[in-house]
Amino acid sequence: MSRPRSRLAIGAIGALAAVALTGCATTAPTAPSAETTDAPADTHHESDTRVAIAHDGGVLVLDGETLDTIGQVELDGFLRVNDAGDHDGHVFVTAADGFHVLDTGLASGTVALTGELFEAVAAGHATPHAGRTALFDDGTGEVRVFDTDAVGTGTLPEVDTISSEAAHHGVAIELSDGTLLSTLGTAESRSGVRHLDADGTELARDEQCPSVHGEGAVKGEVVMFGCEDGVLLFDSGAFTKLDAPDEFGRTGNAYVTDTSAIAFGDYKTDPDQEGYLLSQLVRIDTASRKLSVVALPDGVEYTWRGVGRSGHDDVIVLSADGTLNVLDESGVRQESWPVIAPWESPTEWQQPHPGLRVVGDIAYVTEPAKNRILAIDLHTGEVSAEATLDVAPNEFVVVGAAGH
């Protein structure tokens, strides 16, 4: 049975998380460093984007145009980064003790952890959408939703809290009408998605999405979720399951834009596959409710970090052969450029390996083996900026004004 949302003081939420942490063997990171040296005034360049790169020991922030280092913060443990989606370019840094808020200096001019920490037993997905952000705690199943632009003040915002039926690795997204989509599952398995009214009342559910993982909202606010046998769509209050052509056809990550009704996802057909390189994508036409599988050209293989969508809704794929590939919305390759050295699949997903982020007509590509990051013009394939870092880049995110 679903529980109505309750609006709690953030201190109460922190206390609850602290109680839950007492039963968790994970060690919380040490206190973050406030040291955030900006670039010298004569070299500082103020662009409208920032690149936040997680590495072993902290997060590095670069100017999105020049790739000059703007500042950095220290934080221990394995770190993940997510765009906060706000107007001032903040980033959620996921650590062992929860979601930290990082100011990239886009509006303030200073790179620093703001001191805001959304405590979590196992911090999971952060999903901003339509002016609201949902944080999912995999350790408790609790979802916290708040105004996207409320972060960055140094004080945690007022939140709505929603309880899942059981703790699981999940995701939630609040829609523009104030209703919420949130996954269903347990620590052992996941089964689908439920739709909740603003007061927490369950409106609908669909449990025909085994191993549900990953979400994405496309044009018209149609939301897709990946399943191990296809995808689940939600549109105007109703769920629709689209079956994969293979008995096991897993989609776990969505690559979408809000200007196109065509969604893409990763696609895996062998449940026993070793390594993380894939050679097919799934294409979903959310308007016609049709799913198809796109076989990539020979030699093109990617991980979930290697796919993005451009400002023209093209699909950009970073391949293990070192090429950057541009596919149109039908899945046909239009361009291919060699950009980095060939590389092999990581043996564990957390290990640094090349990644891709696309903003408009610029593709950002990391090459951890050489501590490099490149910015590539998708019109020409030319490198517009590059930098050699003092650290091996792992996950990264590009943020900009108005959450772009």
Side-chain angles (χ1 to χ4, degrees):
M1 178 179 297
S2 62
R3 174 171 72 84
R5 302 191 193 191
S6 61
R7 190 175 290 273
L8 299 178
I10 197 68
I13 295 174
L16 290 173
V19 170
L21 277 168
T22 61
C24 179
T26 303
T27 303
T30 59
S33 168
E35 182 178 342
T36 58
T37 305
D38 290 346
D42 58 345
T43 61
H44 182 77
H45 176 82
E46 192 72 26
S47 75
D48 60 358
T49 53
R50 292 284 185 271
V51 183
I53 302 174
H55 61 89
D56 184 11
V59 181
L60 191 65
V61 178
L62 312 180
D63 181 285
E65 184 176 338
T66 66
L67 299 183
D68 293 336
T69 297
I70 300 298
Q72 57 188 323
V73 298
E74 297 177 1
L75 199 61
D76 289 340
F78 176 68
L79 306 176
R80 310 193 73 179
V81 285
N82 292 277
D83 184 354
D86 69 313
H87 283 77
D88 291 335
H90 289 88
V91 169
F92 288 115
V93 181
T94 304
D97 54 351
F99 303 88
H100 294 258
V101 178
L102 170 66
D103 185 346
T104 63
L106 189 66
S108 69
T110 301
V111 175
L113 292 169
T114 66
E116 296 155 82
L117 170 62
F118 295 86
E119 292 181 338
V121 175
H125 286 278
T127 310
H129 177 75
R132 297 276 284 173
T133 296
L135 302 181
F136 202 99
D137 185 344
D138 293 346
T140 64
E142 185 176 80
V143 181
R144 281 166 283 179
V145 187
F146 49 89
D147 291 342
T148 299
D149 281 330
V151 298
T153 66
T155 302
L156 288 170
E158 192 174 51
V159 303
D160 291 332
T161 60
I162 304 94
S163 292
S164 299
E165 293 180 342
H168 64 283
H169 178 52
V171 65
I173 178 172
E174 184 171 294
L175 304 179
S176 57
D177 63 1
T179 64
L180 185 88
L181 295 171
S182 187
T183 52
L184 289 157
T186 66
E188 289 73 37
S189 65
R190 303 185 299 275
S191 59
V193 181
R194 60 179 181 158
H195 182 213
L196 304 176
D197 202 348
D199 64 0
T201 302
E202 184 173 306
L203 302 174
R205 70 166 57 198
D206 191 303
E207 296 192 68
Q208 302 304 309
C209 187
S211 298
V212 58
H213 187 275
E215 57 73 36
V218 302
K219 184 178 181 180
E221 207 174 35
V222 180
V223 183
M224 67 162 281
F225 295 86
C227 318
E228 71 175 25
D229 58 358
V231 301
L232 185 66
L233 299 182
F234 179 86
D235 182 18
S236 303
F239 290 101
T240 302
K241 176 67 180 295
L242 303 182
D243 293 325
D246 300 283
E247 182 177 355
F248 182 89
R250 182 183 184 274
T251 293
N253 295 276
Y255 310 109
V256 301
T257 78
D258 58 9
T259 56
S260 173
I262 305 297
F264 282 80
D266 55 0
Y267 192 69
K268 179 180 180 180
T269 58
D270 181 2
D272 300 318
Q273 174 185 331
E274 295 184 1
Y276 293 91
L277 294 179
L278 301 173
S279 60
Q280 295 176 303
L281 291 167
V282 65
R283 178 184 185 273
I284 304 100
D285 186 329
T286 63
S288 64
R289 302 291 195 264
K290 292 183 179 179
L291 179 152
S292 58
V293 175
V294 175
L296 296 175
D298 289 345
V300 176
E301 296 180 299
Y302 67 94
T303 74
W304 75 97
R305 289 186 188 172
V307 184
R309 301 290 293 273
S310 77
H312 300 287
D313 298 329
D314 291 331
V315 182
I316 315 301
V317 180
L318 176 63
S319 173
D321 64 4
T323 61
L324 190 66
N325 301 269
V326 181
L327 284 60
D328 63 22
E329 283 198 294
S330 68
V332 176
R333 183 165 68 178
Q334 304 298 309
E335 299 283 357
S336 181
W337 305 290
V339 294
I340 60 174
W343 48 279
E344 297 181 354
S345 171
T347 56
E348 300 292 339
W349 68 266
Q350 299 95 332
Q351 291 176 327
H353 63 276
L356 168 74
R357 290 285 184 172
V358 182
V359 178
D361 293 321
I362 299 294
Y364 296 86
V365 173
T366 54
E367 189 174 18
K370 297 182 179 179
N371 289 3
R372 293 174 74 214
I373 182 170
L374 312 172
I376 298 161
D377 187 326
L378 291 173
H379 292 294
T380 64
E382 297 293 327
V383 175
S384 59
E386 64 179 295
T388 299
L389 310 174
D390 293 330
V391 297
N394 203 340
E395 290 194 3
F396 74 106
V397 67
V398 183
V399 297
H404 292 162

